[in-house]
Amino acid sequence: VNHWLLKTEPGTYSFQRLLKEKSTHWNGVRNYQARNHLREMKKGDLALIYHSGDDKAVVGVAEVTRGPYPDLEPGEEGDWVQVDLRARRALAAPVPLARIKATRELSQIALVKHTRLSVMPLTAKEFAVIERLGASGAGDEQ
DNA sequence: GCCAACGTTGGC
DNA sequence: GCCAACGTTGGC
């Protein structure tokens, strides 16, 4: 499976809402680079969900349940895609952006280097590092 | 095809 | 609320 990080503005669609609704259509992505990443997604891939805005933290894990398919508003032109996600679990402790920036193994991720990209790939290792930082009582630093 | 103007994102 | 970064648009 491949690993991803998806950004969302919690005021628009929060991970809590995904937990409540169990699954969602991840649509509305209107950026070519993000779209190209969406196109690479496959059923079974795993995605960390990041809240931008006030939270600025990775808050949960979701699973891709349906690969890319068209996403167009009525009357809209374009070649956009969406995927379907199912909530897996909230992280025991959200992993703040500041923590990610302070973690050497994560210094190369797009969340840090390409701050405006909303859909980005992660290596399995990066995914695991963030998951571990978000585990309850990880206690692996300080 | 260049580039200035403009709009949006998102951290601070 | 500000502004840097960056993407998009449109005039030439």
Side-chain angles (χ1 to χ4, degrees):
Chain A
V1 304
N2 288 312
H3 298 85
W4 307 95
L5 187 145
L6 299 173
K7 268 201 248 184
T8 183
E9 177 69 42
T12 303
Y13 191 92
S14 68
F15 185 71
Q16 285 74 20
R17 185 164 160 201
L18 179 59
L19 279 176
K20 193 173 168 187
E21 296 179 350
K22 308 273 199 276
S23 66
T24 193
H25 308 297
W26 201 263
N27 55 20
V29 172
R30 293 294 181 271
N31 168 280
Y32 290 108
Q33 206 181 342
R35 192 265 326 261
N36 292 343
H37 291 314
L38 277 184
R39 281 206 177 127
E40 300 297 314
M41 290 192 181
K42 293 192 171 56
K43 184 177 176 178
D45 286 358
L46 296 173
L48 291 170
I49 307 298
Y50 174 84
H51 278 178
S52 60
D54 290 343
D55 285 6
K56 289 188 275 296
V58 176
V59 294
V61 185
E63 176 185 351
V64 177
T65 54
R66 182 179 175 189
Y69 60 101
D71 169 28
L72 277 185
E73 297 295 317
E76 187 183 20
E77 297 288 315
D79 192 16
W80 306 109
V81 298
Q82 60 187 316
V83 299
D84 288 355
L85 297 181
R86 180 195 300 139
R88 277 213 162 175
R89 61 193 171 79
L91 295 181
V95 181
L97 179 61
R99 188 100 191 268
I100 289 169
K101 285 183 170 173
T103 302
R104 189 167 298 121
E105 297 117 299
L106 301 174
S107 63
Q108 295 304 307
I109 68 175
L111 188 66
V112 175
K113 301 200 91 181
H114 302 282
T115 54
R116 298 183 59 191
L117 186 63
S118 61
V119 179
M120 65 197 77
L122 294 177
T123 66
K125 182 175 182 197
E126 289 161 347
F127 188 97
V129 168
I130 296 172
E131 250 190 332
R132 179 135 177 261
L133 290 174
S136 177
D140 47 305
E141 289 177 346
Q142 277 85 43

